[in-house]
Amino acid sequence: MGWFFRRRQEVMVTGPQPGDIEAMADIHARSFARPWNAADIHRLLDGRGVAALVARPEGAGNGPPAGFVILREAADEGEIITIATEPASRRSGVGRALMHGAIRHLQGDRIARLFLEVSEDNAPALSLYRQLGFRRVGIRKGYYASERKDVAAPGTPKPAPSALVMELDLR
Ligand SMILES: CC(C)(COP(=O)(O)OP(=O)(O)OC[C@H]1O[C@@H](n2cnc3c(N)ncnc32)[C@H](O)[C@@H]1OP(=O)(O)O)[C@@H](O)C(=O)NCCC(=O)NCCS
């Protein structure tokens, strides 16, 4: 077994170009059990107060983005709807850069609080959010039951994971 070290890279975070939507759908499909296609993402982005940011490693040119985040704002509250990094680019700073971009965007719009939901068994995401200062403010028991493929399997089913509701004060 070998060791390798993934270098931290500079990451550019911008609004998506029209051609990025297909890549966002592709990243989503490789990151979540229930994939969204490009039409789903277009529909979402047409919603009131919804915005997206994409991330490209510096020097990667105009290739497909390595990750994206979709957020929504209403009154003085923001919400992370989804965030994902393309699997081969994980753990190199893309997710953190996207979250920083989202926070800057929301602060620019004078949003006071940012919320998100995360499965209690999603260790990478929980670690990212805790590092950014999010704290747990609620729990939705068994929320991810429908996402699990193993719930109906024979034998003793594992309890479906709960969703943790987390909040970050942006003021
Ligand atoms: C969660 C996710 C977006 C993180 O993206 P990423 O680009 O890998 O994140 P980063 O490289 O910026 O990592 C930032 C921090 O997240 C945490 N983290 C990321 N991957 C981790 C892992 N595999 N294990 C533990 N912590 C991890 C660490 O705290 C890391 O900081 P560090 O590297 O300084 O220790 C990515 O794992 C992903 O796309 N997962 C699938 C989709 C998903 O679950 N989205 C969240 C839904 S709520």
Side-chain angles (χ1 to χ4, degrees):
M1 191 169 76
W3 292 94
F4 75 93
F5 297 90
R6 180 164 278 161
R7 258 170 42 116
R8 291 263 147 216
Q9 52 191 349
E10 295 300 316
V11 178
M12 304 247 305
V13 175
T14 63
Q17 298 155 12
D20 290 341
I21 306 293
E22 286 288 347
M24 290 163 67
D26 183 55
I27 295 168
H28 191 282
R30 288 191 285 140
S31 301
F32 296 101
R34 291 182 166 191
W36 295 348
N37 61 30
D40 296 330
I41 293 179
H42 272 296
R43 252 194 311 278
L44 188 58
L45 296 183
D46 281 342
R48 195 184 176 91
V50 177
L53 296 170
V54 297
R56 288 183 165 82
E58 195 106 47
N62 224 11
F68 73 97
V69 61
I70 299 180
L71 47 122
R72 173 163 40 215
E73 44 187 78
D76 66 346
E77 291 184 355
E79 176 196 359
I80 299 293
I81 297 177
T82 191
I83 178 170
T85 298
E86 181 262 311
S89 301
R90 288 188 189 155
R91 209 67 198 262
S92 55
V94 170
R96 184 185 292 113
L98 284 165
M99 286 300 296
H100 281 151
I103 289 166
R104 272 197 305 275
H105 176 94
L106 294 166
Q107 284 174 328
D109 289 346
R110 300 191 170 276
I111 299 298
R113 285 176 298 278
L114 176 56
F115 292 90
L116 56 81
E117 278 171 11
V118 54
S119 175
E120 63 181 348
D121 64 2
N122 190 342
L126 276 169
S127 169
L128 169 62
Y129 303 146
R130 288 197 179 115
Q131 243 183 38
L132 290 165
F134 279 84
R135 62 194 178 85
R136 175 178 148 176
V137 292
I139 183 162
R140 295 185 177 170
K141 290 262 179 215
Y143 187 74
Y144 290 105
S146 56
E147 299 273 316
R148 293 281 287 255
K149 293 177 179 151
D150 58 346
V151 170
T156 315
K158 286 188 219 150
S162 299
L164 306 184
V165 183
M166 302 188 86
E167 176 185 353
L168 180 69
D169 194 328
L170 300 181
R171 290 161 298 186

